[in-house]
Amino acid sequence: MRKPLFITVIAFLFLLTTPLPAFAYSYGDPGKEAFAEAYKQFEEQLDQNDYTLAKETIDAYDKEFTLYFPEAKEKIDASLAKEDADAAKQAYRVALRQNIERRLHFAQEQFDDFGQAKLLLAKARGTYDVLAPYVKESEGAKTSDSLYTAFDDSLAALGNPGLFGVGKKASDRKTFDQNIKQIEDTVTPLFVLPGEEKTGVFDEEDSIFGQSFGTDDIWKTVAISLVIILIVIVIIGQRKKRRAQ
């Protein structure tokens, strides 16, 4: 292998083995979930009876809906076609509920990875920010505030690895799981599709991509695969040159 290429490959592999918090998400503010924030625009457009623009808002997040919330998307599309604004809003709110479940599910799975779990928890909370007014309207301010407390307690339960051991705080898995359960048990029953059988938390079988959306694991896998392919191509090319000589 040529020396410059060899050095490049080694450097690339080194980057892949180091923590990548800056690349783990492509959402900007870790406390914001663009897919959830778009609901506010969607609701405003429907309040103005602009169904064409509302459809464009939905289509902008077709990837998320297709991968994770296909039933909600089907209901939204049908409701928009019938110009049933209330049904369309409710279906979108169901998708937001499912998104909270999805984020929390993988936060539990990544509990031992402080950075990832914290980011996933932030995404769940960011989504709840959009649903909070509806929870407050339905269940009262006390219930809505208790869920924010549960999010805060979940974050605290993650502990803190500290910097070189300074400021290190032990994690508490039991407390974390208890607060996650409280959030799900409260939010899930409030936002369901008509006739929806499943009202439990998000499961890996609900998505062929599992936790890859929103974490850096899939990108590491893809990058490593590309490096391997590059190495194979270079080796084959060198062998062909030797045979030709």
Side-chain angles (χ1 to χ4, degrees):
M1 183 182 293
R2 296 175 183 176
K3 188 174 182 180
L5 179 59
F6 176 76
I7 294 174
T8 300
V9 171
I10 293 300
F12 192 38
L13 286 173
F14 173 77
L15 288 174
L16 291 175
T17 60
T18 58
L20 298 173
F23 302 103
Y25 289 87
S26 58
Y27 301 104
D29 183 348
K32 294 291 185 182
E33 184 81 281
F35 166 75
E37 290 295 316
Y39 173 81
K40 301 174 184 178
Q41 185 178 14
F42 179 76
E43 184 176 52
E44 182 179 345
Q45 292 161 346
L46 289 180
D47 288 343
Q48 296 173 353
N49 293 318
D50 194 337
Y51 288 89
T52 299
L53 202 54
K55 182 66 166 62
E56 291 178 2
T57 298
I58 289 296
D59 290 343
Y61 294 92
D62 183 69
K63 175 183 176 182
E64 287 84 348
F65 276 109
T66 300
L67 289 178
Y68 303 108
F69 324 112
E71 296 85 1
K73 177 62 159 54
E74 183 178 349
K75 180 64 176 179
I76 293 173
D77 288 341
S79 299
L80 291 178
K82 295 186 295 184
E83 297 193 353
D84 187 341
D86 289 340
K89 293 176 189 177
Q90 173 62 11
Y92 199 143
R93 291 195 290 268
V94 169
L96 297 184
R97 178 268 291 178
Q98 293 173 331
N99 192 57
I100 291 174
E101 294 172 345
R102 182 171 70 93
R103 294 303 195 187
L104 294 179
H105 172 81
F106 291 121
Q108 287 180 298
E109 285 208 339
Q110 304 255 352
F111 180 79
D112 294 325
D113 185 335
F114 175 76
Q116 288 295 328
K118 182 178 179 180
L119 283 169
L120 288 162
L121 191 61
K123 292 300 177 184
R125 184 187 178 115
T127 302
Y128 179 70
D129 284 340
V130 179
L131 287 182
Y134 305 99
V135 174
K136 183 177 180 180
E137 180 181 357
S138 173
E139 304 300 306
K142 185 176 180 179
T143 296
S144 180
D145 291 344
S146 71
L147 292 183
Y148 276 118
T149 299
F151 274 110
D152 290 340
D153 291 346
S154 296
L155 178 60
L158 286 175
N160 195 320
L163 182 61
F164 301 113
V166 178
K168 184 176 181 179
K169 180 182 176 183
S171 60
D172 184 343
R173 181 60 187 258
K174 182 179 180 180
T175 297
F176 183 83
D177 288 342
Q178 287 175 342
N179 282 282
I180 295 303
K181 186 177 187 302
Q182 178 188 342
I183 295 168
E184 293 172 340
D185 287 350
T186 303
V187 174
T188 297
L190 300 178
F191 305 97
V192 295
L193 293 173
E196 182 182 7
E197 295 182 0
K198 179 185 175 184
T199 57
V201 299
F202 179 88
D203 200 342
E204 282 138 320
E205 67 184 17
D206 294 328
S207 168
I208 59 174
F209 292 99
Q211 68 182 50
S212 63
F213 187 74
T215 70
D216 63 349
D217 293 333
I218 188 65
W219 305 118
K220 285 184 179 181
T221 302
V222 171
I224 291 173
S225 299
L226 290 175
V227 170
I228 293 174
I229 292 173
L230 175 61
I231 293 174
V232 171
I233 291 175
V234 170
I235 292 175
I236 293 176
Q238 289 181 337
R239 288 181 177 178
K240 287 183 176 179
K241 287 182 180 181
R242 289 171 184 169
R243 291 174 181 174
Q245 291 176 349

